[in-house]
Amino acid sequence: MQSNSERGVIMGLTIQQQRANFALECIQDLKDVLTTDKAQGEFISYASGLPAMIHMNGLGQAMAFCKLKSKERESYGQLYQLVSDWLCKEGQPYHQKKDVLEGITQCDMAHYQLAQAEALVLMSWVKKFAKAFLKEEE
């Protein structure tokens, strides 16, 4: 995945277009990282389940779970990094934090609520693009 600085804010685009562009670039990058149908299928599954996990447990618990599981499954690590990269880029709630968990633990509730809402909207794009461009295991 590209770094935050490489994915700078694209001037003239709406925030929804920026989200879509970010998600599409991330999914296209993942095609090269997750090289097997099984790995890509896992990512699709985890990405599809993340919004429900966020709704039920909150962004902090969901991201901590992804971080923990990233030791076992690369797809969880990729999902964690994707959400973290978006929420920590310029114009987002955790800008200037190294990752989403640092932002969650160091910022106030208003930032947390914004970050949670933003993660949910981002994930709608991620899920759509993952299903469109990644392969599911047969």
Side-chain angles (χ1 to χ4, degrees), residues 10-58:
I10 301 168
M11 302 309 287
L13 297 182
T14 67
I15 185 66
Q16 188 71 338
Q17 289 173 309
Q18 290 175 40
R19 278 186 210 107
N21 184 61
F22 179 87
L24 179 59
E25 287 180 1
C26 287
I27 295 302
Q28 289 173 333
D29 290 348
L30 283 174
K31 285 173 35 179
D32 297 329
V33 175
L34 304 173
T35 56
T36 66
D37 289 358
K38 180 179 180 183
Q40 290 184 16
E42 281 181 351
F43 184 87
I44 292 168
S45 176
Y46 302 158
S48 295
L50 185 61
M53 189 184 303
I54 292 170
H55 276 293
M56 289 186 287
N57 303 307

Side-chain angles (χ1 to χ4, degrees), residues 19-106:
R19 278 186 210 107
N21 184 61
F22 179 87
L24 179 59
E25 287 180 1
C26 287
I27 295 302
Q28 289 173 333
D29 290 348
L30 283 174
K31 285 173 35 179
D32 297 329
V33 175
L34 304 173
T35 56
T36 66
D37 289 358
K38 180 179 180 183
Q40 290 184 16
E42 281 181 351
F43 184 87
I44 292 168
S45 176
Y46 302 158
S48 295
L50 185 61
M53 189 184 303
I54 292 170
H55 276 293
M56 289 186 287
N57 303 307
L59 179 63
Q61 291 290 329
M63 290 292 94
F65 177 82
C66 287
K67 185 71 171 175
L68 172 68
K69 289 296 189 177
S70 70
K71 296 174 183 177
E72 301 167 17
R73 301 273 191 223
E74 183 180 9
S75 294
Y76 273 119
Q78 295 295 333
L79 188 57
Y80 174 87
Q81 195 61 53
L82 186 153
V83 172
S84 189
D85 286 350
W86 177 253
L87 293 177
C88 294
K89 71 183 288 166
E90 187 175 342
Q92 292 302 318
Y94 298 140
H95 174 62
Q96 297 185 333
K97 299 298 181 191
K98 73 174 182 146
D99 70 1
V100 66
L101 290 178
E102 181 180 288
I104 288 168
T105 59
Q106 294 181 5

